[in-house]
């Protein structure tokens, strides 16, 4: 990287200025720093205090969160994280995979644009925080930033809150960079092809009786209030079926990770797979098109709780199809989204 220099004709006491670059910042959901009680409590407190995630009035929600949920849930969540923890690297799989995605994307971006770009990642909750990474990029000379939340389908509780946090980080900067936030990529042909190819790799020549496309859930009320997430999930499933050239009725769209007492988007994955088994469907595969990286919701919930629900109801063959993670085809999807948004900047 070119070192900072004092501008020509500036007085000698003028601060050195780093040459301008363009930043590429990808954002994932986040992860606790550890699976111990206090690490889990800090992470869950930040996550569940986000008004985009839980929109109940603070007077109603915070006493319940601070008094009951954050007393018990860190223990159960920590035990689940321990089951999937990357002990060799001392971090969650989401952190490992996001770092690997960033490294692969950095290599591709450098091949295409050289040192004119800087590629980093941040987390909406936990570390590295959005504010920390934005500050580092600004200090490194990023006058423009392309911001890519790693959520194929848009939702207020995912894409929007990631953007919110970016804008909050910009408020702290004396010299704000220009930013472009990327659209969701749920219906991009290259993304759908990458999903279809991942299904073929996992299943080979075998076609399951059902392929369950399990998306992260949200309260049904959000859909009725205008959130497009449900519709974008349905379209991803339909396009995936077309890309696989499978007949109607093989792919079921379901929703997981239900929280609280109000009704969420249905059908619920954990119930649906048990219903399939009771109906005599003994062979299913499950894919998670809403997740760009394998995480607690896929590695523990789908490959643990949801698998057990299917098998306990009489199901025999359960195949979990991993997320796209740092697969080269997924990195090219990210590059395609970035190209669409970086035009004129490099």
């Amino acid at each position: 990287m070119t070192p900072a220099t004092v501008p020509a004709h500036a007085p000698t006491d003028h601060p050195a200025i780093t040459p301008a670059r363009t930043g590429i910042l990808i954002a994932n959901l986040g992860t606790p720093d550890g699976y111990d009680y206090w690490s889990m409590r800090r992470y869950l407190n930040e996550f569940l205090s986000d008004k985009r995630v839980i929109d109940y009035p603070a007077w109603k929600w915070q006493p319940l969160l601070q008094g009951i949920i954050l007393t018990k849930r860190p223990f159960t969540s920590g035990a689940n994280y321990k089951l999937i923890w990357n002990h060799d690297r001392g971090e969650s799989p989401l952190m490992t995979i996001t770092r690997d995605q960033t490294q692969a994307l950095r290599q591709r971006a450098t091949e295409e644009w050289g040192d004119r770009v800087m590629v980093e990642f941040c987390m909406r909750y936990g570390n590295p925080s959005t504010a920390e990474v934005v500050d580092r990029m600004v200090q490194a000379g990023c006058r423009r930033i392309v911001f890519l939340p790693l959520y194929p389908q848009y939702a207020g509780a995912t894409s929007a809150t990631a953007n919110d946090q970016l804008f909050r980080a910009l408020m702290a900067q004396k010299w704000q960079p220009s930013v472009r936030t990327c659209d969701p990529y749920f219906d991009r042909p290259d993304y759908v092809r990458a999903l279809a190819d991942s299904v073929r790799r996992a299943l080979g020549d075998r076609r399951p009786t059902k392929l369950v496309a399990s998306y992260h859930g949200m309260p049904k009320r959000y859909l009725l209030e205008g959130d497009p997430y449900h519709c974008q999930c349905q379209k991803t499933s339909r396009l995936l079926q077309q890309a696989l050239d499978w007949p109607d009725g093989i792919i079921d769209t379901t929703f997981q990770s239900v929280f609280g007492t109000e009704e969420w988007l249905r059908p619920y994955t954990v119930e649906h797979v048990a219903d399939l088994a009771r109906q005599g469907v003994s062979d299913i595969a499950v894919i998670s098109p809403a997740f760009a990286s394998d995480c607690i919701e896929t590695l523990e919930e789908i490959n643990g709780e949801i698998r057990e629900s299917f098998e306990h109801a009489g199901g025999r063959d359960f195949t979990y199809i991993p997320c796209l993670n740092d697969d080269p085809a997924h990195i090219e999807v990210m590059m395609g989204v970035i190209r669409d948004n970086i035009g004129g900047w490099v």
Side-chain angles (χ1 to χ4, degrees):
M1 185 178 73
T2 306
T5 57
V6 175
H9 312 297
T12 56
D13 62 348
H14 191 287
I17 296 178
T18 304
R21 309 168 74 191
T22 295
I24 298 168
L25 179 57
I26 64 174
N28 217 328
L29 179 76
T31 172
D33 295 325
Y35 51 79
D36 60 281
Y37 175 83
W38 289 109
S39 294
M40 290 302 312
R41 184 178 176 114
R42 283 193 299 272
Y43 174 74
L44 291 170
N45 184 49
E46 184 180 10
F47 176 49
L48 296 175
S49 294
D50 185 351
K51 293 287 286 184
R52 290 277 195 180
V53 175
I54 306 291
D55 64 353
Y56 300 147
W59 65 265
K60 180 179 182 181
W61 173 243
Q62 282 298 322
L64 178 63
L65 176 64
Q66 302 299 329
I68 299 176
I69 295 173
L70 292 181
T71 299
K72 298 180 179 180
R73 194 177 176 102
F75 291 109
T76 56
S77 295
N80 290 335
Y81 267 98
K82 186 176 181 179
L83 294 173
I84 65 166
W85 200 254
N86 184 342
H87 294 279
D88 290 339
R89 295 174 70 167
E91 61 191 21
S92 74
L94 178 70
M95 178 66 77
T96 301
I97 293 166
T98 306
R99 184 181 288 110
D100 291 345
Q101 289 170 325
T102 304
Q103 181 56 41
L105 188 61
R106 183 179 292 129
Q107 181 175 336
R108 285 290 291 111
T110 301
E111 291 170 359
E112 190 152 333
W113 297 302
D115 63 1
R116 292 173 292 171
V117 298
M118 177 181 183
V119 180
E120 297 292 337
F121 77 93
C122 65
M123 299 294 187
R124 170 60 183 89
Y125 314 104
N127 297 304
S129 70
T130 305
E132 168 196 340
V133 179
V134 166
D135 186 66
R136 184 165 72 244
M137 296 178 81
V138 169
Q139 296 303 318
C142 291
R143 304 286 180 262
R144 307 178 181 96
I145 295 176
V146 175
F147 185 68
L148 173 57
L150 291 181
Y151 308 107
Q153 298 81 18
Y154 173 94
T158 55
S159 310
T161 191
N163 290 337
D164 291 345
Q165 200 72 347
L166 170 67
F167 301 144
R168 292 188 192 100
L170 294 174
M171 292 171 64
Q173 295 299 322
K174 288 286 192 296
W175 188 352
Q176 283 186 336
S178 301
V179 299
R180 291 174 179 169
T181 59
C182 298
D183 286 339
Y185 53 95
F186 66 98
D187 59 353
R188 282 181 63 97
D190 51 0
Y191 165 67
V192 176
R193 281 196 304 271
L195 284 178
D197 288 343
S198 74
V199 173
R200 296 186 186 101
R201 280 196 305 273
L203 300 179
D205 296 331
R206 180 173 65 87
R207 179 190 293 175
T209 306
K210 285 287 187 180
L211 173 62
V212 177
S214 180
Y215 298 82
H216 199 288
M218 69 162 52
K220 181 179 179 181
R221 172 171 52 86
Y222 291 11
L223 165 65
L224 301 179
E225 291 171 351
D227 195 299
Y229 176 72
H230 178 266
C231 301
Q232 294 183 2
C233 293
Q234 296 287 352
K235 186 172 183 180
T236 297
S237 294
R238 176 169 56 81
L239 294 175
L240 175 58
Q241 177 187 329
Q242 294 173 359
L244 290 167
D245 195 24
W246 286 2
D248 293 344
I250 290 186
I251 298 181
D252 290 349
T253 297
T254 64
F255 299 91
Q256 64 182 91
S257 307
V258 176
F259 179 81
T261 57
E262 70 175 301
E263 183 177 1
W264 282 41
L265 298 176
R266 289 182 180 270
Y268 301 155
T269 306
V270 68
E271 296 177 358
H272 186 72
V273 298
D275 289 341
L276 288 175
R278 284 190 286 266
Q279 294 163 15
V281 176
S282 62
D283 176 20
I284 70 170
V286 181
I287 190 171
S288 302
F291 297 92
S293 317
D294 274 305
C295 54
I296 189 74
E297 286 86 355
T298 63
L299 298 174
E300 193 282 325
E301 185 178 1
I302 290 181
N303 218 14
E305 177 188 355
I306 290 169
R307 174 191 288 272
E308 290 172 4
S309 177
F310 177 69
E311 292 175 346
H312 288 171
R316 186 181 67 249
D317 296 325
F318 181 103
T319 301
Y320 171 62
I321 300 170
C323 295
L324 295 178
N325 296 326
D326 62 341
D327 182 86
H330 194 202
I331 302 304
E332 289 307 312
V333 172
M334 295 184 202
M335 282 293 294
V337 174
I338 291 164
R339 286 191 199 97
D340 290 347
N341 287 273
I342 208 170
W345 279 5
V346 292

